[in-house]
Amino acid sequence: MTKVAEAARAFDVARVREDFPILRELVHGRPLVYLDSANTTQKPLAVLEALDTYYRHQNSNIHRATHLLGERATEAFERTRTKLQRFVNARDRAEIVLTKGCTESINLVAQSWARTHLTPGDEVLVTWMEHHSNIVPWQIVCEQTGATLKAAPITDRGELDVEAFERLLSERTKLVAIIHVSNALGTINPVARLIAQARAAGALVLVDGAQAVPHLPVDVQALDCDFYAFSGHKMYGPTGTGVLYGRRALLEAMPPYQGGGDMIASVTFEKTEYNVLPHKFEAGTPNIAGVVGLGAAVDYLAGLDRAAVLAHEEALLDEATARVRELAGVTLIGDAAARASVLSFVVEGVHPHDIGTVLDAEGVAVRTGQHCAQPVMDRYGVPATVRASFGVYNTHEDVDALVRGLEKVREVFG
Ligand SMILES: Cc1ncc(COP(=O)(O)O)c(C=O)c1O
């Protein structure tokens, strides 16, 4: 047995499933088979309890109250920042900006850094496999500044065409914004190499890590990226939480993204002094409870053997890929050599939404649609795909249920 297979077998998924109460839910009278973790993950008890404890014992506004609850809430909130700093190995906790999601993190960089640095003739380089949240903010800022958006192509297997990416880099490229793991294809991009190439060309690099952090260890110092954006709710934390890692020197020099309370040091009608990092970028009352819950999610992930989790998820993806590929009329969309969590496919003659409906009736939750990645759909000439995605709690029985559900689709649609 290979080391990976051994690690996968050693992983006690039954034990992990006990941590997720929602997995005992019945849907349409059947046990839930949740294969939609790329959309949002389910939450472990530790996160639910952190939210409950927060509202029962700590609830208050942060950074401003002089009373004990305010102190508790501030400490709990700021503790998450320290946990996140360790989670992605940032040098400094001031480099961790708390946002409401990956989308907001990317918009922050677009409207703060890019809007003040881009000029006509400059270029922003993305790839054809980006999520809309790593395309549209750059289109908006290009429109505002006169810069141009370029996109590096992908191959038929759903891998980035690295040579084409390299050819698109030039002295005009001011920012490269790349997805770490594709939500539509599952492709794991060789981000370390792409970052090195971009930096050699003199560009800054933002990595969209929304689909990477739940699966892969991420070290922003080793990657040497300038910005790394991700969401809390895709890594077992609450919705409405997100993170932007940014190099301190860059964040220091960037103007605020939004104005309001907490992001200021002093305000007069003549002049406002901004707060220190990271508060300069955290205007208004944040999702305090959510951030506290995100801290519990970081602890939860850190408490698992992450190599074993990855091996387990890889084994499920390999099995699902092999079995779904064999089914009549199925075409996989994306078959990259390195993939994480995501299996995307179409079935000849049956619309993905109909497949989703039949699977749902069987208790199997998948996502169908464009996955906020319309250029990927256009690249493959399909309107939508069915996407099954795996998380820490999925099992080989879940793969069986998916395959059985797809056989039912065949029966129903002939
Ligand atoms: C790769 C990727 N980037 C960005 C996002 C946006 O994340 P959010 O909606 O949590 O801001 C998603 C969500 O699906 C994603 O998969």
Side-chain angles (χ1 to χ4, degrees):
M1 205 186 302
T2 65
K3 261 189 157 166
V4 171
E6 257 174 54
R9 275 192 62 176
F11 180 65
D12 188 354
V13 67
R15 169 74 205 79
V16 165
R17 287 177 69 82
E18 283 170 19
D19 296 332
F20 291 84
I22 205 169
L23 297 178
R24 294 194 280 276
E25 202 69 10
L26 295 181
V27 290
H28 307 301
R30 291 167 186 268
L32 169 66
V33 175
Y34 190 73
L35 294 176
D36 199 17
S37 292
N39 208 353
T40 195
T41 54
Q42 298 302 347
K43 319 304 172 199
L45 263 175
V47 170
L48 305 183
E49 282 166 4
L51 292 171
D52 188 68
T53 301
Y54 172 77
Y55 279 122
R56 284 177 194 273
H57 303 290
Q58 301 163 334
N59 179 47
S60 181
N61 216 322
I62 52 167
H63 299 145
R64 56 191 86 171
T66 46
H67 50 72
L68 181 64
L69 288 189
E71 223 173 89
R72 284 183 189 163
T74 304
E75 265 173 30
F77 183 89
E78 289 300 329
R79 218 177 296 132
T80 295
R81 198 188 307 278
T82 306
K83 289 175 186 178
L84 287 162
Q85 176 202 349
R86 294 194 192 118
F87 184 64
V88 296
N89 194 32
R91 266 173 220 90
D92 186 336
R93 59 193 300 290
E95 295 180 316
I96 301 294
V97 178
L98 293 159
T99 65
K100 72 178 167 68
C102 186
T103 303
E104 188 178 48
S105 300
I106 296 171
N107 277 277
L108 191 165
V109 177
Q111 287 304 309
S112 173
W113 185 85
R115 193 165 182 185
T116 47
H117 283 81
L118 298 182
T119 54
D122 288 345
E123 291 175 3
V124 175
L125 178 59
V126 297
T127 77
W128 267 72
M129 70 174 92
E130 300 308 319
H131 187 279
H132 295 160
S133 62
N134 203 25
I135 299 174
V136 184
W138 309 117
Q139 283 177 323
I140 293 172
V141 76
C142 283
E143 215 163 273
Q144 288 163 335
T145 59
T148 305
L149 184 66
K150 298 261 166 153
I154 56 179
T155 66
D156 289 346
R157 288 189 73 181
E159 291 171 339
L160 181 68
D161 181 338
V162 175
E163 280 163 22
F165 172 85
E166 232 179 302
R167 280 195 301 276
L168 282 163
L169 282 172
S170 75
E171 72 286 353
R172 289 186 298 281
T173 316
K174 292 295 180 293
L175 184 98
V176 171
I178 37 173
I179 197 164
H180 193 161
V181 173
S182 160
N183 63 305
L185 303 164
T187 309
I188 304 175
N189 276 318
V191 279
R193 173 176 169 190
L194 304 176
I195 292 165
Q197 287 172 334
R199 293 181 64 76
L204 294 192
V205 186
L206 175 141
V207 180
D208 170 354
Q211 298 293 345
V213 289
H215 309 291
L216 310 174
V218 170
D219 180 334
V220 291
Q221 291 189 63
L223 285 177
D224 204 20
C225 56
D226 298 290
F227 301 104
Y228 195 97
F230 55 103
S231 290
H233 71 99
K234 293 182 196 286
M235 52 175 280
Y236 309 100
T239 51
T241 60
V243 179
L244 175 69
Y245 156 79
R247 265 186 219 283
R248 185 173 188 132
L250 287 168
L251 293 177
E252 290 283 10
M254 283 159 54
Y257 168 52
Q258 294 179 327
D262 224 24
M263 53 72 72
I264 52 85
S266 82
V267 178
T268 66
F269 286 111
E270 289 69 41
K271 184 164 172 55
T272 289
E273 301 286 347
Y274 303 131
N275 205 343
V276 293
L277 286 181
H279 311 295
K280 180 173 79 172
F281 294 109
E282 295 177 358
T285 302
N287 182 356
I288 306 169
V291 167
V292 173
L294 178 56
V298 173
D299 287 343
Y300 183 78
L301 272 176
L304 298 174
D305 176 344
R306 294 206 66 196
V309 171
L310 184 58
H312 171 71
E313 291 174 350
E314 272 176 6
L316 293 178
L317 183 60
D318 286 351
E319 186 197 342
T321 303
R323 292 179 63 187
V324 170
R325 190 201 294 277
E326 289 302 306
L327 298 172
V330 167
T331 305
L332 298 188
I333 302 296
D335 190 18
R339 273 192 306 139
S341 171
V342 165
L343 177 63
S344 218
F345 57 92
V346 291
V347 179
E348 199 183 353
V350 193
H351 195 282
H353 293 327
D354 293 331
I355 297 171
T357 305
V358 173
L359 290 178
D360 179 51
E362 300 295 311
V364 180
V366 294
R367 182 161 175 201
T368 63
Q370 297 181 338
H371 318 297
C372 302
Q374 199 182 327
V376 173
M377 303 300 120
D378 293 346
R379 169 67 176 76
Y380 287 94
V382 292
T385 76
V386 180
R387 181 185 73 184
S389 54
F390 298 93
V392 63
Y393 32 64
N394 288 118
T395 62
H396 292 279
E397 289 71 35
D398 293 345
V399 178
D400 291 340
L402 173 67
V403 172
R404 268 199 315 275
L406 291 172
E407 283 162 354
K408 182 90 186 222
V409 168
R410 266 278 149 253
E411 279 166 39
V412 174
F413 290 96

